[in-house]
Amino acid sequence: MAGDLLTESREIIATCAQLGLSVASAESLTAGRFVSTLVDVPGASAVVRGGLVTYATDLKASLAGVDADRLEETGPVDEVVAAQMAVGAARACVADIGVSCTGVAGPDPQDGKEVGLVYTAIAFGSRAHVVEHHFTGDREAIRSATVAAMVERLGEFVAKLAFGPDPSTDSAAE
């Protein structure tokens, strides 16, 4: 899997560099692993602006600009929080694309949310698209699956920016 992530990361870096796009992240349960995966690629500095590790709930508000009232109301594992984290990462790091994750890696549930519940988001401008995941396994497996999902989603997003939707997977083409 690590080789696949490196291959996907290379494609992301190359495509973003061709398009002149930059990327930033706000990571909670992965604690910087996503941005670290991207910067394993030589030349990543042309694309990756930086990342926020917002492991503590209060840092989601103070660093990523997540609405503090929302955090109080829902807790950090929430789709709106993920969206605001992605937008906030791009804003804080002055990047074109923001990528985020928030979730429960375990071993115990958090704020009534089950282990393995993860939200990932990709923001472009002030809009974000969020996906809810339900990963299984131990803490390490959930964190690794989250990074893989973030890399995969970013790869799909930049490919669509570069080449348009894939007609073989686009439901509008059916």
Side-chain angles (χ1 to χ4, degrees), residues 95-165:
D96 300 302
I97 301 167
V99 184
S100 72
C101 67
T102 185
V104 184
D108 300 312
Q110 177 184 335
D111 299 326
K113 309 286 174 72
E114 74 268 11
V115 173
L117 174 62
V118 174
Y119 294 97
T120 60
I122 298 196
F124 191 65
S126 63
R127 298 187 60 186
H129 182 262
V130 180
V131 173
E132 179 178 312
H133 307 271
H134 296 272
F135 297 124
T136 58
D138 64 9
R139 183 173 171 77
E140 177 58 30
I142 292 166
R143 294 177 77 213
S144 293
T146 300
V147 171
M150 294 170 77
V151 169
E152 180 180 349
R153 292 200 58 229
L154 179 58
E156 291 169 354
F157 180 78
V158 298
K160 281 183 183 177
L161 284 177
F163 308 112

Side-chain angles (χ1 to χ4, degrees), residues 45-87:
S45 62
V47 170
V48 178
R49 293 279 302 155
L52 309 173
V53 175
T54 56
Y55 199 70
T57 299
D58 63 308
L59 293 181
K60 290 169 180 60
S62 63
L63 296 179
V66 174
D67 182 272
D69 291 336
R70 180 70 184 203
L71 286 167
E72 182 69 31
E73 179 184 322
T74 65
V77 183
D78 174 73
E79 69 179 319
V80 173
V81 170
Q84 291 179 358
M85 287 172 64
V87 171

Side-chain angles (χ1 to χ4, degrees), residues 13-59:
I13 297 302
T15 303
C16 285
Q18 283 181 319
L19 297 173
L21 295 173
S22 57
V23 175
S25 71
E27 300 178 64
S28 187
L29 71 149
T30 54
R33 282 190 189 186
F34 166 74
V35 80
S36 178
T37 298
L38 291 182
V39 301
D40 281 344
V41 176
S45 62
V47 170
V48 178
R49 293 279 302 155
L52 309 173
V53 175
T54 56
Y55 199 70
T57 299
D58 63 308
L59 293 181

